[in-house]
Amino acid sequence: MSCEDCKNMASVPQAVYEYNMEYYKRTSMWQMIIIIILIFALVGSNAGWLWYESQFEDMEVTQENTDGYNNYIGNDGDILNGEADD
């Protein structure tokens, strides 16, 4: 950088500089608060889904049928849309 470039540079008053630094400090503080809130919301929503999914019972059902009609509906034995032995 030459001396001519140094003479053409604009100077910023100290008060403007300090105001901008305070503004960015406040902005970054609010951003950190929002980030922390979002992290808690993410963890909470994932915990909620894990709790919700743990309410169901996993069942393994195996069936064999030579006719191709192989349906399982409920624990009460009702078979719909298939062939049932009478």
Side-chain angles (χ1 to χ4, degrees):
M1 195 186 315
S2 67
C3 286
E4 290 179 19
D5 291 335
C6 294
K7 292 177 185 176
N8 293 332
M9 294 177 77
S11 63
V12 176
Q14 183 71 24
V16 173
Y17 175 76
E18 289 176 0
Y19 174 77
N20 281 334
M21 289 297 106
E22 286 297 318
Y23 174 77
Y24 288 122
K25 189 184 292 185
R26 282 192 311 265
T27 303
S28 65
M29 180 189 68
W30 281 111
Q31 286 175 344
M32 274 307 258
I33 290 171
I34 290 172
I35 289 170
I36 290 170
I37 290 171
L38 289 174
I39 288 172
F40 280 122
L42 178 68
V43 169
S45 67
N46 285 337
W49 277 109
L50 287 173
W51 174 78
Y52 174 75
E53 288 293 328
S54 69
Q55 301 299 312
F56 300 104
E57 179 183 349
D58 292 334
M59 297 177 62
E60 184 175 329
V61 176
T62 57
Q63 294 178 334
E64 295 178 15
N65 191 342
T66 59
D67 296 334
Y69 297 109
N70 204 5
N71 297 316
Y72 175 79
I73 298 178
N75 289 330
D76 56 357
D78 291 340
I79 297 177
L80 301 173
N81 297 327
E83 299 289 326
D85 292 335
D86 291 329

